[in-house]
Amino acid sequence: MSYPAAPIDLRSDTITKPSEAMRRAMAEAPVGDDVYREDPTIERLQEMVADLLGKEAALFVPSGTMSNQLCLRTLTHMGDEVIVHEDAHVLHYEGGSAAALSGLQLRPVAGSFGVLSPGAVEAAIRPSGEHFAHTGAVEMENTHNRCGGTIWPLDAMKAVAALARSRGVKVHLDGARLWNAHKATGVPLAEYAATADSVSVCFSKGLAAPVGSALAGSFEFVERARDNRKRYGGAMRQAGIIAAGAIYALEHNMDRLVEDHENAATLASYLRGIPGLEIGHPVETNIVIADVSRFGGAGRVVEALKEEGVLCGVAAPTRVRFVTHLDVDAQAVRTAGEIAVRLLPALAQTRE
């Protein structure tokens, strides 16, 4: 079998490069000073996002981490606790920023494939009293990265939101890949977003823009988030140049996300044919996480695949993550699957 001419990069959907058409849109974008609210391209993007999510307003920010953290900061007060799934992105991959920047503690709660039950949330809400942190918010993540790109069903989101609101607890939705959930299910983005007081969405993952995220909520919430964005160093000037990439992504790259989902399903079908390898989650969008404990662990598998031209990532000591995206087509995914089928059984046989 021939090796791929260039590496097949399945480490993440963040590694995509802007197309020539996207670069032209960015180069030609009208700009102004966004701190003065005079950048027309950013204003247009924020209006688009607010409309798509059914919210009163939106705010453009440099990164998904900043977007999530601004939302948590704005919804809560210092010393509050935020209920999250035990595998939440805000818990594992945002550098402890909830504590470091906002004085928040995150309360991890178990759930199925990233989904929390209303009962689990209710049990985690602290009682009133001076001994306890105040439960300020509950966070949902759709799709759920660490659980394999799984989708929170809309009914489950509504149930958690209803429970939280009945107890006076705010709701945040980490929707970095909400676009994927929308294209996989057909559920309108606004219906997902209606379950939350604040929503974060990302343009630099499956939509393939080079930079940027946005948060959305009520007018009052977004104004307070804008103040916090300044404190966090996220206020930008002529950033319409990068906002134009996000607009292009929304207009041209959302519908094609279904191709990434199909490619992930194809890759999973190859991997499931390898004796001893397990995929412990439903493959619903563009992420596949494989348990490779019988092949010497994730580090060994990642290095072996890299030597043959397939790049993937370590999700945990015994789990490997593959993510499909715009820059890897169906044939490349099939080639990656064929390499894995040939290579991994040999690793299992030679394991000491």
Side-chain angles (χ1 to χ4, degrees):
M1 176 181 176
S2 61
Y3 292 93
I8 300 170
D9 197 338
L10 296 166
R11 291 173 297 170
S12 177
D13 46 8
T14 62
I15 58 89
T16 53
K17 305 293 195 303
S19 65
E20 288 302 315
M22 182 182 286
R23 286 176 179 271
R24 284 195 300 272
M26 295 170 70
E28 296 168 3
V31 298
D33 190 321
D34 186 49
V35 174
Y36 288 105
R37 308 191 189 198
E38 294 176 355
D39 190 302
T41 306
I42 290 179
E43 292 296 313
R44 181 186 169 204
L45 173 63
Q46 290 171 166
E47 290 171 4
M48 288 176 67
V49 172
D51 183 62
L52 283 169
L53 298 178
K55 297 297 187 184
E56 291 179 345
L59 184 68
F60 184 52
V61 299
S63 72
T65 292
M66 181 177 284
S67 187
N68 276 332
Q69 294 304 320
L70 286 174
C71 287
L72 295 182
R73 172 70 176 262
T74 306
L75 288 177
T76 62
H77 300 90
M78 184 173 290
D80 280 359
E81 189 167 73
V82 179
I83 296 170
V84 303
H85 185 271
E86 62 188 356
D87 284 321
H89 191 279
V90 295
L91 178 64
H92 288 274
Y93 301 121
E94 298 188 8
S97 50
L101 302 179
S102 299
L104 300 174
Q105 60 186 30
L106 303 182
R107 178 89 180 269
V109 175
S112 177
F113 299 120
V115 178
L116 298 175
S117 70
V121 172
E122 185 165 32
I125 294 174
R126 300 289 188 181
S128 298
E130 63 188 75
H131 298 292
F132 306 107
H134 173 259
T135 302
V138 60
E139 187 253 13
M140 303 182 287
E141 183 180 329
N142 199 6
T143 66
H144 202 287
N145 172 28
R146 195 171 163 91
C147 290
T150 47
I151 298 169
W152 269 68
L154 181 60
D155 287 346
M157 297 179 71
K158 288 180 176 179
V160 166
L163 181 278
R165 287 165 177 159
S166 75
R167 299 292 301 274
V169 174
K170 298 293 187 181
V171 181
H172 171 58
L173 171 57
D174 176 356
R177 294 184 176 90
L178 193 65
W179 325 110
N180 293 85
H182 162 58
K183 296 311 297 184
T185 64
V187 173
L189 290 160
E191 288 194 33
Y192 281 131
T195 64
D197 300 290
S198 65
V199 185
S200 172
V201 291
C202 185
F203 309 115
S204 64
K205 295 184 173 68
L207 293 186
V211 184
S213 289
L215 59 85
S218 67
F219 287 123
E220 190 270 340
F221 170 84
V222 170
E223 284 303 304
R224 288 190 291 115
R226 184 182 292 271
D227 291 343
N228 286 327
R229 184 184 69 170
K230 178 66 174 179
R231 296 185 183 101
Y232 280 29
M236 298 177 286
R237 301 296 180 173
Q238 291 74 32
I241 292 171
I242 54 177
I247 291 173
Y248 184 93
L250 287 172
E251 292 180 335
H252 296 88
N253 292 345
M254 194 183 306
D255 287 344
R256 64 147 308 279
L257 290 173
V258 296
E259 299 173 23
D260 297 340
H261 303 167
E262 292 167 357
N263 287 338
T266 296
L267 180 62
S269 69
Y270 279 98
L271 297 176
R272 287 193 178 105
I274 300 172
L277 185 145
E278 296 181 4
I279 298 172
H281 65 89
V283 180
E284 297 175 325
T285 55
N286 68 321
I287 299 175
V288 181
I289 296 178
D291 187 314
V292 293
S293 55
R294 298 184 184 180
F295 303 87
R300 186 178 188 223
V301 168
V302 167
E303 286 304 311
L305 287 172
K306 181 179 180 180
E307 289 179 5
E308 301 218 8
V310 178
L311 305 183
C312 54
V314 174
T318 61
R319 296 195 301 162
V320 171
R321 188 180 80 147
F322 304 85
V323 187
T324 54
H325 52 81
L326 181 148
D327 286 359
V328 176
D329 63 19
Q331 180 55 57
V333 168
R334 287 193 293 271
T335 299
E338 291 166 1
I339 290 171
V341 167
R342 174 174 54 81
L343 176 67
L344 295 190
L347 289 182
Q349 291 168 10
T350 60
R351 182 184 177 189
E352 294 181 359

